[in-house]
Amino acid sequence: MCGLTGFHLRDGGTTSDAVTIQSMSQAQSHRGPDDAGHAAIDCRSGSIEPLEGNGATSFRTSADLFFGFRRLSILDLSLNGHQPMASPDGQVLLMLNGEIYNAFDFVPELESEGYRFRGKSDTEVVLNLYLVHGLEGMLSRLNGMFSIAIYDSRLGRLFLARDRFGIKPLYILENERFFAFSSELKSFGYLPGFRFSLDQKELSEFLMFRHNRDRTLLEDIRQLPPGMVLSYDPSTGDSRSTTYQTEASTNAIESPEQFAVCLERAIEAQLISDVPLGCQLSGGVDSSLVTHFAAQRAGADMNTVSVVFADERFSEETHIDYVEQTLGVRGHRFQLSPEYYIQRLDAATWHLEQPISHPNTIGVMLLSERAREFVTVLLSGEGADELLAGYSRFLALLHPWGKSLLSRLRGVRGSRFQELLAYRDPAWRAVTATLVSRASVARRVYPALDESAAIEPRLDLYRATAGSPLERQRRYEMATYLPDLLLRQDKMSMAASIENRVPYLDNPLVNAAFTIDREQLMGRGPNGPHGKLILKRICEKVFGRDFTYRKKQGFGIPLRQFMARSSFQNELHDRILPGIEKRGVFAVEVLRRTARNIKAAEWADIELLWTMVAFESWAQQFLDADFQSGIDRTSGA
């Protein structure tokens, strides 16, 4: 797991200065503490020059395109895995952030084509796959998590690609002076003369969903969507993005036993590592099964890491106990205290690079920081709920006019008749199922909110998705809700130089999952209707009925209790609320009333206040900061 970055000078200029690309990659040193590499490319001649010498601050010749890389060594710890990595003839330069689990399956074929390998890194395999099969042929073969940058001097093109589900981030900046890309957008802050500025057009979607799907809250910066490849022509400055296809051959899944075999294979493939590896264990079905299959391979050497709470209402410690004892693994638990939560809010925001959407993000940061004492790679259960219909909102597909409708109507602060009219549209039901704040609530702090601008692009995406209602809902949530969860996992784990892997998003496993009949995913269990039923039937055989079919708890945070503490209140009234008022974007008085009455406030108002706290923490660190002042912000986070 690593961090990549780069930029092209779009104004026709060139430079031999190496400080800018070094600063951009240094901003991601936490993603890659083991090695750093930089290169300059003259797009006119196609020449590629690596930066030589640890103390060098300039290249020998001027160039207009620059690559920078930070490496966390997981496979092949030697310098044979150094990046940026050039082809033997020096005409192609590649950077890969991620892991390719099937990379070494292609080595015999590539060797038969005459390619000889210097080392044992998956990056070298991917580079050779590109040389043999081209971009589309390479991408179609990859099973893993990745963001990739390739400059091919033979074509005069820069290519950027992101994995199918968005497990690894990749940001794009385009303005008049620069075309830039990066695993973390903070690197853009070191581009000469560039400052981050708020894109108010994106505030409506942010307020209602607490994240932006492909855009960001920053002018000129977006994410490359999952499963996309971008082609950039340095000679014209033109770029275009297209989807790519992965090899999709699979056998239909007709039983839990067949799906268990697919899951076991996915986990086995992701156990490859030359450094210590463990599992992120929450005590829920998804992570417990990952731990079970991983422990079957690693035995007593398997480490697990978990976050617990002093408040038993939020802690799954008894279930974590049970899994550890059943499997005989070595468990490590870390208690998330209110003090840690409050003290690390800004640090978590700095690494997430957007307002914290999920309050449990800070818990993932704690887990990653402490896990680094024991492992460098963690397997998690992320993705199972979206893939296998695990959320309660999926059950509403079976009976949309029952409890689901009543629950929606109870939460309405405006016209219930209008809500009922909108509810008739299945696309609207699917999209608004993941709302954090309704428009009527968000307008209390942002009267200019545009509900249509926030929802219509998501409605278009849902309506363009094919399949049965259940399949459409799953694919829609994997395209919208899941990438934000994956971003949280990536940023918080990489903040501690931890690689996080997600076996439920293994390509063959996902392909197989979409052959499962609805009755295998949703149906009655021992105590009522359940989603993710096929996985629970596997879990039941390992951990028993009571463990498997208990009420889903999730990774909840005692947010009201944390926000009521005097230390949090001091932060609110001394820094956050005055900052919001001074910024002049949001109305602050309604937030002050909620802050003064935390213990009795409605949950919708608590959610809105948290959204504003998260926004202001982010704004102070990105909108108000001077990245080029010489201050090393990475050390303060």
Side-chain angles (χ1 to χ4, degrees):
M1 200 64 62
C2 311
L4 58 83
T5 191
F7 69 96
H8 175 246
L9 297 169
R10 304 183 80 174
D11 56 6
T14 62
T15 182
S16 60
D17 171 60
V19 173
T20 296
I21 192 62
Q22 288 173 320
S23 299
M24 292 174 72
S25 64
Q26 174 62 25
Q28 301 182 46
S29 58
H30 50 279
R31 297 187 72 94
D34 298 326
D35 188 24
H38 307 88
I41 302 162
D42 182 347
C43 295
R44 296 171 179 81
S45 67
S47 65
I48 297 172
E49 178 193 342
L51 184 65
E52 297 179 355
N54 292 331
T57 59
S58 64
F59 294 94
R60 295 190 306 274
T61 57
S62 291
D64 55 343
L65 175 62
F66 299 87
F67 277 17
F69 195 80
R70 298 292 309 208
R71 183 184 181 206
L72 175 64
S73 302
I74 301 296
L75 296 175
D76 191 347
L77 308 186
S78 75
L79 289 178
N80 288 324
H82 179 79
Q83 298 187 52
M85 185 177 289
S87 60
D89 62 7
Q91 293 186 312
V92 175
L93 193 66
L94 179 144
M95 297 189 290
L96 165 69
N97 166 34
E99 294 291 348
I100 308 302
Y101 305 118
N102 64 340
F104 302 108
D105 296 347
F106 302 110
V107 170
E109 170 206 339
L110 292 169
E111 288 181 334
S112 72
E113 294 280 349
Y115 289 89
R116 296 294 175 259
F117 290 85
R118 301 187 301 270
K120 297 180 179 179
S121 73
D122 53 352
T123 303
E124 190 173 6
V125 176
V126 172
L127 174 58
N128 287 328
L129 281 173
Y130 174 80
L131 296 174
V132 173
H133 298 289
L135 185 67
E136 291 289 335
M138 174 199 76
L139 291 171
S140 70
R141 288 167 167 79
L142 301 185
N143 181 25
M145 52 182 183
F146 58 83
S147 58
I148 298 174
I150 299 173
Y151 180 73
D152 190 332
S153 64
R154 302 167 304 180
L155 303 175
R157 290 270 177 174
L158 170 67
F159 299 110
L160 303 173
R162 192 175 178 202
D163 67 69
R164 180 181 177 187
F165 307 110
I167 306 170
K168 305 313 299 175
L170 186 56
Y171 295 94
I172 309 294
L173 163 67
E174 285 192 85
N175 62 21
E176 291 182 357
R177 293 191 62 194
F178 303 106
F179 177 91
F181 56 92
S182 188
S183 299
E184 297 199 357
L185 62 77
K186 63 175 65 69
S187 293
F188 299 147
Y190 297 93
L191 289 167
F194 178 78
R195 286 189 68 94
F196 295 115
S197 58
L198 179 65
D199 188 347
Q200 293 205 32
K201 299 189 304 298
E202 305 302 326
L203 284 176
S204 296
E205 183 183 21
F206 161 71
L207 286 169
M208 294 183 69
F209 293 94
R210 212 188 274 154
H211 73 274
N212 297 83
R213 190 166 61 89
D214 294 329
R215 306 296 304 180
T216 72
L217 288 175
L218 296 167
E219 290 274 6
D220 301 326
I221 299 174
R222 68 185 191 276
Q223 291 195 65
L224 184 66
M228 299 286 283
V229 58
L230 182 148
S231 173
Y232 175 74
D233 185 345
S235 66
T236 64
D238 293 333
S239 66
R240 59 184 179 88
S241 299
T242 56
T243 58
Y244 64 84
Q245 301 299 318
T246 56
E247 295 179 348
S249 59
T250 188
N251 296 320
I253 298 297
E254 298 177 351
S255 69
E257 291 75 20
Q258 289 177 322
F259 190 71
V261 170
C262 292
L263 178 57
E264 186 174 11
R265 286 174 180 165
I267 292 168
E268 181 181 3
Q270 297 194 20
L271 289 175
I272 56 170
S273 176
D274 293 332
V275 294
L277 178 147
C279 290
Q280 183 173 322
L281 176 62
S282 70
V285 167
D286 310 333
S287 64
S288 297
L289 278 177
V290 170
T291 304
H292 162 66
F293 287 118
Q296 283 188 332
R297 297 288 174 180
D301 291 333
M302 176 57 64
N303 287 276
T304 64
V305 293
S306 309
V307 169
V308 296
F309 299 90
D311 189 334
E312 293 183 358
R313 293 174 300 171
F314 293 88
S315 186
E316 294 214 61
E317 192 160 12
T318 56
H319 305 301
I320 293 167
D321 273 338
Y322 180 70
V323 173
E324 290 174 356
Q325 293 167 10
T326 300
L327 301 180
V329 295
R330 292 185 301 212
H332 309 280
R333 296 173 215 178
F334 320 116
Q335 187 175 108
L336 179 59
S337 68
E339 293 74 22
Y340 179 94
Y341 196 88
I342 295 163
Q343 292 167 4
R344 299 296 280 168
L345 168 64
D346 284 343
T349 302
W350 169 250
H351 284 289
L352 190 65
E353 304 185 301
Q354 65 184 35
I356 292 177
S357 51
H358 302 274
N360 59 24
T361 298
I362 301 172
V364 181
M365 169 174 261
L366 169 66
L367 182 140
S368 301
E369 288 177 350
R370 296 297 307 278
R372 197 63 168 90
E373 302 168 24
F374 309 99
V375 299
T376 308
V377 176
L378 279 177
L379 273 63
S380 76
E382 208 70 81
D385 283 315
E386 294 80 7
L387 178 65
L388 301 171
Y391 296 123
S392 59
R393 55 183 176 264
F394 283 101
L395 293 172
L397 290 168
L398 298 177
H399 306 289
W401 299 100
K403 292 181 179 179
S404 175
L405 174 59
L406 293 176
S407 177
R408 293 281 191 109
L409 293 177
R410 280 195 296 269
V412 172
R413 290 190 175 182
S415 168
R416 291 186 175 180
F417 178 71
Q418 291 297 324
E419 180 79 10
L420 186 60
L421 288 177
Y423 190 81
R424 296 179 303 167
D425 181 2
W428 189 90
R429 293 200 299 268
V431 168
T432 57
T434 58
L435 280 176
V436 177
S437 291
R438 294 179 177 273
S440 58
V441 174
R443 283 197 181 98
R444 299 175 67 195
V445 295
Y446 191 57
L449 183 129
D450 186 340
E451 183 177 8
S452 177
I455 292 181
E456 284 297 332
R458 293 174 179 245
L459 288 173
D460 291 342
L461 176 64
Y462 179 87
R463 289 166 179 153
T465 304
S468 67
L470 177 58
E471 183 176 353
R472 294 176 78 185
Q473 179 89 20
R474 291 158 66 200
R475 291 191 185 279
Y476 170 78
E477 296 224 4
M478 290 182 74
T480 57
Y481 189 74
L482 178 60
D484 193 55
L485 294 176
L486 296 171
L487 189 74
R488 175 197 64 181
Q489 286 288 143
D490 173 85
K491 297 292 186 67
M492 294 304 103
S493 59
M494 291 309 301
S497 303
I498 287 275
E499 175 174 298
N500 192 282
R501 299 177 178 175
V502 281
Y504 286 105
L505 299 181
D506 170 82
N507 276 342
L509 180 72
V510 171
N511 295 337
F514 277 100
T515 71
I516 300 171
D517 289 339
R518 189 188 76 171
E519 291 73 20
Q520 293 267 20
L521 291 176
M522 297 195 302
R524 293 199 64 82
N527 55 355
H530 284 264
K532 207 164 51 182
L533 198 57
I534 194 168
L535 203 64
K536 292 178 179 178
R537 286 173 174 154
I538 300 169
C539 187
E540 183 180 1
K541 292 184 178 181
V542 180
F543 297 109
R545 176 169 291 197
D546 291 343
F547 176 93
T548 300
Y549 293 101
R550 71 187 191 271
K551 184 179 179 181
K552 180 179 176 64
Q553 183 167 336
F555 190 3
I557 295 289
L559 191 58
R560 187 189 299 269
Q561 293 91 317
F562 283 4
M563 294 177 77
R565 295 180 70 89
S566 60
S567 53
F568 202 103
Q569 286 287 310
N570 291 339
E571 275 287 283
L572 274 175
H573 293 287
D574 294 346
R575 181 172 71 95
I576 298 296
L577 295 176
I580 293 172
E581 184 172 32
K582 182 179 178 181
R583 201 168 301 283
V585 177
F586 301 113
V588 75
E589 191 52 42
V590 64
L591 302 173
R592 286 200 171 102
R593 288 197 296 270
T594 302
R596 289 192 296 264
N597 194 33
I598 287 288
K599 293 183 179 179
E602 293 185 18
W603 186 247
D605 294 326
I606 295 288
E607 291 271 23
L608 184 61
L609 177 60
W610 169 259
T611 301
M612 293 291 92
V613 169
F615 175 87
E616 185 58 25
S617 173
W618 168 81
Q620 289 181 15
Q621 295 186 78
F622 285 87
L623 300 181
D624 300 344
D626 182 3
F627 281 72
Q628 297 168 55
S629 64
I631 298 174
D632 181 8
R633 277 292 288 108
T634 60
S635 62

